[in-house]
Each structure stands twice: as C-alpha cells, then as structure tokens.
Amino acid sequence: MTHPREALHPRHSRATPRIAVLFLLARFSVFLVMLLAIVSPGSSAFSQTEPPSPDNAAWEFAHLAGGVTLRGVVLKEREHEIDFAEIFTPPGRPMYAVVHGLQRIRIGRIEALPEAEHAQLLETFQNLRNRARIDAQRQEDVVLVAIGDAASARFRYDGDWFSLESNCDEMITRRCVVRVEQMFRAYRTLLPPRVENPARVEIRIFGDVDHYRQNLRELQLPLGNLAIYVGSQQLVLAGSDLRTLSDRLVQLQTHLASLQSQSQLLTKAHELSLARQSQLLKEKGFSAAEISTELRLRKNAFDAERAEVQAAAAAALRESEKLFQTATAAMISRLRHEAFHAYLDSSVFPRASHHVPIWLHEGLAQVFETAVLDGDSLRVDAPSPARLRSLAHDLTTAEALPLARLLESEQDAFLGSHRQAARDQHYLYAWGVAYHLAFEQRLLGSPALETYVEKSSAKSSPIANFEKLVGKDLVSWERSWHEHVRRSAAAK
C-alpha cells in the first residue's frame, strides 16, 4: 500500500596498493562504528532521579530492579509487560511523558492508585499523549527462538501484539524487534486499541532483497515495494540488505586480526629500515647532522603517507556511515508504515466493522513512517521538514490538489497503477491532513473519529462526513489548513 522505494546498497571505497593495508585497517574501524549503530542494545533511558512534582499531585510508581523508580501512570497491563507513562514536570517547562514498555521480570512492584484517582491521572496523560516520547525496551530482554535448518536458519519472536521472523543474524533481529515493539507502543499511545484480544500481526523480515522478492512471487504479490502489507493475512513483509551487510561485517572482523598484525609488522619494518639506513649512511662517511636530516625526511614522508591514509579513511567513514544509517532507517520507516496498516485493521478499526477512508489509512501510516528517533526515544509528533516544505510549495501551484478530491479518492489513487506524480501528490496531502488532525486538532482516539469511521459512513458523502469530523465546512477548514501549513513551513 505504499509507493515504491529504492533499495540502498553501500558503495565500496578503493585505496592505492601502496596504502591498501593501512587503509583496510582504518576502514574496518568505520564498520565497527556502523555495527554499533545497528546492533547496539536499545536500552531504556530511565531517569535515575525523580523529577519535581506539582503540589498535591497523586502519582503511580513503578519500582524496578536496580533501585530505579518511575513516577507516572500505568497505561496498560499485560501478561509479560506493562505500558507505563513516566511523567516529567521540569521547572519552567511544559509537562511531558515518556512511555516505557516494562518487562514484568524487571519490575519489583507497582504502587497503583485507587480506581477514581487512576482515572483522573489517565486524564492528565491524555493531554500529553500526542507529544509523548516512546522509549525502547532493552535488547537483552528480547526472547528469540531459532527455527529452520542450516540452509534456512531463522529467528522468531512472539510478542503480545506481533510475531516476527527474520533470516538476519541474531543481533540484527534483536535490534529489529526492539524497534518494532517501540513502533507498536507508539501506535497504542496515539491510537489506543479498541478490539479485545486482537489477532497478532505476522511480520517477516528478509535480510536480502532477492529472497524477499522470491517470497513475494510465491504469494503472487507485486514486486515494486520493499515492504508490503497483506490485509487478508494480517501479514507484513519487508526486504533489506541487512544480512548482506552483517555478513560483510563478520568477514571484516575475521580479517581484523591479520590486518593488525600486518600494521604492526609494517611499523617495525620501517623502524628497522631507518636503523639500517642510518648505519649505511654512517659507513659512507655522512655526518651525524646529515644522517639526522635524511632520516627525518624519510620519517616525515612515512608520516605524511599515514596522514593521507587517515584522511581517506575519514572520508570513507562519513560516506559509509551515512549510507549504512540511511539504509537501516529506511527499512525501519517502511516497517512503521506497513505495520501501522496491520495494527489499525487488527486492533482499532477492523475492516469488517469500520470504514477507514484510504486517504486516512495512508496519511496516518505516513505520520508514523516519518517519526524520528530522539536519542533512543521515538517522537511521532515532529512533522517531516521535507514533506512540510513540499506540501507548502505544492499548495501555491496551479496543480494544488483540492481536498474534496482527496476525500473522495479511491484506493487506486494510492497504487502503482496510478500516475506517479498524481500518486505522490495524494500521499503528500494525505500525510498533511492526517498530521493536522492528529496533532493540531488532537482527534486521534476521539468520539468524533470513531463516528467518522463507522461502517455506515461509507454510504454517506465523504465531504459531509469530514465536515462533521472537524466541525467546520470544508472550504473554511481547507483555507485555515493551507495557512497553517504555510506558517509551519516558514517557521522550519
């Protein structure tokens, strides 16, 4: 249900034969840094000190192993995990929340409030949830099961909301699970589930694009996108080059020991060469001053060559790190988009009982797709600067899309069969309207939205339904929305 996205393949840097060994040694450090970027544990940034609280405020507390205490409110309790919103009230700044997924094995005890006070505290959180940050769980808490044989080894994770299978290595699979759990926590925070005991979403991650596309062929699915949601099966598939990158990192790691030995040998050989040259020059009658000058020149040449290698390695580091991080972020973004479709269908507004217009489905999916990591916390409320600028510009053109046409659009307007420019424009406007409804008008989870997506709404006028949702006629709302988009873009 998304427009095609290109796969990202790291390019290879080259070094001259003369500096190959030193360059490869430096280049390996590049990949070590990048490896940490993808497989480092997603540890939660729990506050070690309790933030100042307002006078006469009642809070709930989560006491964790290790003496950490979180102050806030319990959002949802499940068998293995509790969603807990930690509330911060910094002096002179607005109150905000960080939503944690707490594993029960790491919880010492929960201090809960009586039902009436708990409900009042939940109301406080409702005013913060649109701006809440979503924390990541600890990577070591992820429980994986190895399945398949040597030829098709995979890892599987079964959570409360989704199951995930991956043919990537264990470290990368754990990293993916942490990010997907974080995604689902963001979905639940902004758009709480309405279905009791929903079916778990099935997610399959392929570490190579060829294998991914082969799987799509077997399921008779289109091959254009690198992630896809199959609504009839509650299935999300995503392809990437993560396994290829992981294999390359393992190869480089194996090669590191030999490179280090070679580097040490080169340094020792150079020192011995200088010593021999000193002795030869002395035997030929050169003075001590002349020998010192010659050796200094040769050492300077050696040092200059090493500096050249370091400069080349630094350039390779910047380029390779950017490509690696971009490829990783793109895959996670695609997952956020497609998994949202699955979450909305399974846990909030099932298609059998609701009618969610295609523009809203795709618009909200993009809102989550463009969420950004702030440290290790996910922020959904920050609009994509690039999309905001593109939208503001498009609104000023003669080809600007009337909202009436967006509201009346059918599914084919968002599919690959539609003209590329028109399809991209529909996606852009759907994102802009959905973001505005979610964060400016705060309609996610509201009774008005529930009414808007009732099954019977499919038989009514899309424009009339929208006007009822926003409480204003379309012409007036569209005018004010245009102005808000322009002001927001200008402020970025």
Side-chain angles (χ1 to χ4, degrees):
M1 296 176 70
T2 59
H3 50 283
R5 301 173 176 86
E6 295 181 356
L8 295 170
H9 300 277
R11 294 192 291 272
H12 301 281
S13 300
R14 294 185 178 181
T16 63
R18 184 181 58 170
I19 62 175
V21 172
L22 288 175
F23 175 76
L24 286 173
L25 179 61
R27 189 170 185 265
F28 180 76
S29 66
V30 174
F31 284 92
L32 277 181
V33 173
M34 294 187 296
L35 177 62
L36 291 175
I38 181 66
V39 301
S40 60
S43 59
S44 299
F46 293 136
S47 171
Q48 296 292 334
T49 58
E50 181 179 329
S53 59
D55 294 337
N56 304 319
W59 303 98
E60 294 179 326
F61 296 89
H63 300 280
L64 309 183
V68 176
T69 296
L70 308 182
R71 184 201 67 174
V73 57
V74 175
L75 301 180
K76 186 72 174 179
E77 294 194 44
R78 295 183 301 283
E79 182 180 358
H80 302 295
E81 187 181 53
I82 292 177
D83 284 347
F84 188 90
E86 185 179 11
I87 308 297
F88 292 88
T89 54
R93 295 172 55 196
M95 181 186 299
Y96 69 95
V98 175
V99 178
H100 305 286
L102 305 179
Q103 299 291 313
R104 285 191 179 274
I105 60 173
R106 296 190 176 277
I107 300 175
R109 63 188 176 91
I110 296 289
E111 288 186 42
L113 292 172
E115 186 174 343
E117 294 179 65
H118 173 74
Q120 186 176 2
L121 196 52
L122 279 177
E123 283 297 319
T124 299
F125 173 73
Q126 291 307 310
N127 296 324
L128 305 175
R129 67 184 178 89
N130 278 33
R131 308 291 179 182
R133 302 172 186 176
I134 313 301
D135 198 22
Q137 72 180 99
R138 296 161 55 97
Q139 185 176 321
E140 55 265 38
D141 288 341
V142 173
V143 178
L144 296 180
V145 177
I147 58 177
D149 52 27
S152 59
R154 305 185 305 281
F155 290 97
R156 182 173 179 86
Y157 169 81
D158 290 309
D160 290 333
W161 298 88
F162 67 91
S163 295
L164 184 147
E165 279 192 18
S166 163
N167 66 354
C168 298
D169 64 36
E170 182 177 353
M171 293 291 284
I172 290 180
T173 301
R174 288 181 180 277
R175 180 67 170 174
C176 289
V177 169
V178 164
R179 291 303 172 209
V180 176
E181 279 285 8
Q182 189 178 36
M183 286 157 35
F184 273 78
R185 195 168 300 118
Y187 302 155
R188 300 195 300 271
T189 299
L190 271 72
L191 198 56
R194 287 168 166 75
V195 177
E196 289 291 334
N197 301 317
R200 281 189 297 196
V201 175
E202 184 74 22
I203 298 175
R204 298 177 192 167
I205 294 177
F206 299 88
D208 59 280
V209 174
D210 289 342
H211 191 191
Y212 165 72
R213 287 181 173 146
Q214 177 186 339
N215 202 267
L216 293 184
R217 290 189 192 95
E218 293 172 357
L219 296 172
Q220 298 183 333
L221 297 171
L223 305 179
N225 297 341
L226 288 178
I228 192 169
Y229 165 53
V230 186
S232 60
Q233 303 178 43
Q234 282 294 294
L235 173 65
V236 175
L237 301 99
S240 69
D241 292 313
L242 294 183
R243 192 171 69 175
T244 302
L245 292 170
S246 176
D247 290 344
R248 180 170 181 78
L249 289 169
V250 171
Q251 293 169 5
L252 288 169
Q253 192 170 23
T254 303
H255 197 45
L256 176 61
S258 62
L259 288 178
Q260 289 176 328
S261 298
Q262 291 178 45
S263 178
Q264 293 172 359
L265 289 173
L266 284 174
T267 301
K268 291 180 180 179
H270 181 69
E271 292 172 352
L272 290 173
S273 175
L274 290 179
R276 286 196 297 270
Q277 291 299 323
S278 176
Q279 182 62 33
L280 288 174
L281 292 174
K282 185 177 181 180
E283 291 174 357
K284 291 181 180 181
F286 287 89
S287 67
E290 289 173 325
I291 294 173
S292 177
T293 299
E294 178 64 18
L295 295 181
R296 184 173 63 254
L297 290 173
R298 296 190 183 197
K299 185 178 184 305
N300 289 344
F302 182 80
D303 291 342
E305 183 173 322
R306 296 185 65 177
E308 180 185 352
V309 172
Q310 291 172 355
L317 171 61
R318 290 191 295 271
E319 180 184 8
S320 299
E321 186 174 24
K322 180 179 179 181
L323 288 171
F324 192 91
Q325 291 179 346
T326 299
T328 303
M331 190 274 291
I332 296 297
S333 293
R334 291 191 294 268
L335 271 178
R336 281 201 292 262
H337 184 120
E338 301 301 337
F340 174 77
H341 290 312
Y343 171 76
L344 197 69
D345 285 349
S346 66
S347 302
V348 188
F349 300 132
R351 295 187 181 191
S353 56
H354 293 79
H355 171 70
V356 180
I358 183 64
W359 72 264
L360 183 58
H361 230 302
E362 293 295 346
L364 289 175
Q366 289 177 91
V367 167
F368 288 97
E369 174 189 346
T370 57
V372 297
L373 281 173
D374 182 2
D376 204 38
S377 295
L378 188 69
R379 288 193 57 193
V380 183
D381 62 300
S384 164
R387 296 193 190 205
L388 187 60
R389 288 192 298 269
S390 296
L391 180 57
H393 170 73
D394 200 86
L395 291 175
T396 65
T397 67
E399 293 77 25
L401 181 67
L403 282 195
R405 194 189 307 170
L406 176 70
L407 300 177
E408 294 172 342
S409 60
E410 300 291 341
Q411 186 165 340
D412 64 346
F414 294 87
L415 297 179
S417 57
H418 210 59
R419 188 166 55 88
Q420 177 74 43
R423 185 172 72 250
D424 290 349
Q425 188 182 46
H426 275 73
Y427 270 101
L428 183 62
Y429 278 64
W431 167 80
V433 175
Y435 179 87
H436 193 83
L437 295 178
F439 296 103
E440 304 303 333
Q441 297 197 247
R442 301 191 176 189
L443 288 174
L444 290 187
S446 69
L449 183 64
E450 179 75 35
T451 300
Y452 181 68
V453 298
E454 287 177 351
K455 192 72 171 180
S456 59
S457 66
K459 302 177 182 178
S460 306
S461 162
I463 295 174
N465 290 340
F466 186 81
E467 289 177 337
K468 185 177 180 181
L469 171 67
V470 299
K472 186 182 290 188
D473 68 90
L474 182 60
V475 173
S476 300
W477 192 92
E478 185 171 11
R479 186 185 306 116
S480 63
W481 176 67
H482 279 216
E483 180 59 30
H484 181 83
V485 168
R486 286 192 289 267
R487 287 199 311 268
S488 299
K492 291 296 181 182

